Amino acid sequence: MSIRLNKQQEAAVTAPDGPALVLAGAGTGKTRVIVERLSWLVEERGIDPRHLLALTFTNRAAAEMGERFAQRLGVERVPSWLGTFHAFGLYVLRREMEQLGRPKQFTIFDTSDQSSLMKRLVRDLPAKYAKVTPRDALGWISRLKQEVQTPEDVAVITPEDEACAALWTQYHEALRRGNAVDFDDLLVLLVRLLADREGVREKYQRRYRYVLIDEYQDTNRAQYLIARHLSAAHGNLFVVGDEDQSIYSWRGADINNILDFAKDFESATVYRLEENYRSTQAILDAANAVVAHNVNRLGKTLRATQPGKDAVGIYIAEDGDAEARWVVQDMAKQGYAPSSVAVLYRTNSQSRLMEESLRTRGLHYQVVGGMQFYSRKEIKDILAYLRLLVNPDDDESVRRVINVPARGIGAKSLEALEVYGVERKQPLMRVMRDVEGDETFPARARQSMVAFVDLIDSVALSAKQSTLEETVERLVKETGYRKFVEESDEKDFRTRLEIVDEFIASCRDYDRKSGNDVLTFLQDMSLVSDADAWKGSEPAVSLMTCHSAKGLEFDHVYLIGMEEGLLPFGIDAEEKGLIEEERRLCYVAMTRARKRLVLTAAVNRTLYGRTDRNRELSRFIKEAGKDRLVSLNEKATKPVAKARPVGAALAAGGEDKIKTGTRVRHAKFGPGRVLYTTGTGDKLKAKIRFETGRMATLMVAQAPLEIL
C-alpha cells in the first residue's frame, strides 16, 4: 500500500469479504482506516466505486471522508455514496416514496416545526386524556420510532402513555396530510421500504455491494436494521466504532449494537486499533483509567505515539466565577492561540461565566450548540416561504407566514380556515384558493388570502428558471419583509436586516457551489446539525458541551465542572443506570486534548439560581488517579480539603460506622437513613433515603456525609 499504516490498521484495511468490526479507540485513525479501506477495495480489489456505500453521522465527517477518498484516488469526486444515515434515507425516499403510497416531493419538519404542530395537537387533545407537554410527547414518540415501533406495538401503561399514543396517531396523520416527514421518518420509512418492498431491497443490495459504517456505537435500532437489510445479500458490512465513546443513548443509540456485533454476524472478524496519534501518554493514561471502571465494554488500551510530558492538571476553584476567571487567566499565561483551545462542559448553562470572563479579557470565542444562524426567526420565516414554493400542502409553513408581514388575515380568519380544512380534509392553501367568493370571511381577509396564494404561485413558477438568490430576493421584496423587520423592533432591526442579508449571501454561495434548486437547498438545510456549525479555522476559543466535542480535537482542553451532579450529571445517574455513559462522556471529553488537559471544579456553584456549597468532586477525578494528576492550585489555598469534608474518613472506618439503619446528614440533601451498603473501604456505597423523599446511592468516600 502506498500510504503507511501500522499493523493493526493494515489488517483492518485489507480484511477479507464478510462482516468486520474495527474497534478504533479515540485518535487511532479510524477515518484513515475507512478511507484506506475504500481505496483498497477500488485499487486492489477492482471494485467499482459506485458499489461502495459509506455512512456516518455528521455532514462534516462525511465531507472529510469524501475529500480524503477523492484525493487518495487522485480524482475530483468519487461516484461512491458517502454521507449521513439521514441523508441516505432522504436520497432513497426521494426516489422510492411512491412505493409507500406517498408523493416523492415532501417537506422535512425540523424541531421547531414539530414543536409548533405538537403544541396545537396537545391544546386540542380531549379532556379525557392526561396532561402531557409537547416536548414530552415528541420525546416519547421519537424514542419509540427509533426502535421502529408503531402505535399498535406500544404497551400503554400509564395515562400519560395513553395520551402520547393518541397524539402519535394525530401527529402522523397531520404529517401525512401536509406531505411532510420528520427527521426520524428518514430512517423509519427507509427501514419499511427495505423490509417490506423486496424489489427496493434487492435494488439497493445490488447497487451497494460493500457497506461501511463509521461511529457504529452511535447507531440506533433503525440504523442497525438499515445496515442489516443492505448487507444481507452479500454480507460485506465493515463497521468502525468505539464502545467507550457511546454517549447518545438519550437519542436512541444502543451500545449493544457494537457489543453484540460478533454475535449478530457470526462470521465477523474483530480488529483493534490502539495506537493513538492524537494525545500524549499522560492524557491517555488518565482517560484509560477512568473508562476502565466500566463493565460494558469490549476493552482496549490506547498507546500514545505523540511526545509530551505534561501531566493532566487539576484546579479546584472557590466558586464558578473563580473557575472561569482562572481558566481564562491560565490560557493567557500559557500564551495559547485562541483557536487551539476548547473549554468543555456538561451543560450549556455552564457557558455563561466562561463567556463573561473571555469578554472581560477581550478574547474571541465561538459557542457551539447555542442558537444557530438557521434557527433565527428571520431565517425560519424565509425558509417557510421557500418550503411553500415546493410543497404548498405544508400547513405549518402557511401558519408561520400567512400574516408575516401582516396582511389583514387575523386569528379568527385563520381559525375559520382551519375549520374548513378539517371539514374538507384539505390543506390550507387549497382552501384559500376557494375563498374569493366566500362571504364568511371579511372582504379584506379574502383579498389578502387570494393575494397570498397568487404570490406563492407566481414565485414558485419563476423559481424554476431563477437562481436561489434571485428567488429569495423576490420573496423578500414582494412580501415587504425588509420593511416589516425595520418597523417591528427599533433596537434590533439593523442586526435583523444584517441576518437577512447574510442569508441571501449564503444563497449566492450555494448557487455558486452547487447550482441546485430550491428543493435541494431545503433538504440540505434540514440536515445541518450543531456539530456542523463549528469552524475550526476561526481564531477563537471554542466553548461547547462534551457531546458537541465528539469527533473534534484541540491542542489544549479545559474540562470544567468536574463535580458530582455535573459530571456525572444528576445525583441519580447511578441509580438510573446511566453512570457508565457519563463515564464514557468524560472519556470522550478528555481524549479531545492533544497536548494539555486541565480538569477544573468548584467548591461552591450557582446553577439555575441555586447555590450549592461544599460540592463533591467528581468520582472521575478519583478514578483518573492522584498519581496521574498534578494540582495547579496555590498550596496556601488548599481548596481540595473544603470539597471533600468527611466522606473519606467515614469510608476508612468501614461498615462499622456506616451500616443499615445509620442516621446521616448530607451537605446538600439533608438528613436521611441508610437502607443498605455494598462494597468496602474506598468502594463502600450506601443507599440512603432522605427525609425529603429522595433516594440516592452514594460513594461514601466522596460524599459530604456526617453521622447523626
Side-chain angles (χ1 to χ4, degrees), residues 301-371:
T301 302
L302 301 184
R303 302 182 299 274
T305 60
Q306 298 296 324
K309 298 180 180 180
D310 285 347
V312 175
I314 180 169
Y315 180 82
I316 314 298
E318 183 64 30
D319 55 31
D321 287 298
E323 176 189 48
R325 287 196 304 273
W326 182 86
V327 168
V328 174
Q329 289 168 0
D330 187 68
M331 65 177 71
K333 176 183 175 183
Q334 302 294 335
Y336 295 152
S339 60
S340 70
V341 180
V343 180
L344 308 183
Y345 36 77
R346 180 62 177 83
T347 69
N348 279 311
S349 61
Q350 293 170 257
S351 74
R352 181 181 62 82
L353 294 177
M354 284 305 313
E355 292 184 65
E356 290 176 1
S357 291
L358 287 163
R359 282 197 299 267
T360 299
R361 195 88 182 193
L363 293 175
H364 295 292
Y365 63 89
Q366 59 174 327
V367 180
V368 177
M371 176 174 278

Side-chain angles (χ1 to χ4, degrees), residues 109-122:
F109 270 28
D110 63 17
T111 53
S112 65
D113 300 319
Q114 291 177 273
S115 179
S116 176
L117 172 57
M118 187 57 74
K119 283 177 183 177
R120 288 191 302 101
L121 296 177
V122 168

Side-chain angles (χ1 to χ4, degrees), residues 197-204 206:
R197 302 296 189 272
E198 184 178 0
V200 173
R201 181 173 64 250
E202 292 178 349
K203 172 182 176 180
Y204 289 95
R206 286 194 302 271

Side-chain angles (χ1 to χ4, degrees), residues 602-614:
V603 178
N604 309 301
R605 188 178 296 278
T606 300
L607 277 176
Y608 313 116
R610 174 180 172 177
T611 300
D612 289 332
R613 304 190 180 281
N614 292 323

Side-chain angles (χ1 to χ4, degrees), residues 159-203:
E160 289 75 18
D161 289 343
E162 185 181 14
C164 288
L167 288 167
W168 188 349
T169 300
Q170 295 177 28
Y171 172 73
H172 282 95
E173 285 176 354
L175 284 179
R176 187 153 191 156
R177 191 167 55 246
N179 193 18
V181 300
D182 64 19
F183 215 49
D184 290 329
D185 287 330
L186 297 178
L187 303 180
V188 175
L189 294 178
L190 175 57
V191 171
R192 281 185 55 193
L193 278 169
L194 296 175
D196 301 338
R197 302 296 189 272
E198 184 178 0
V200 173
R201 181 173 64 250
E202 292 178 349
K203 172 182 176 180

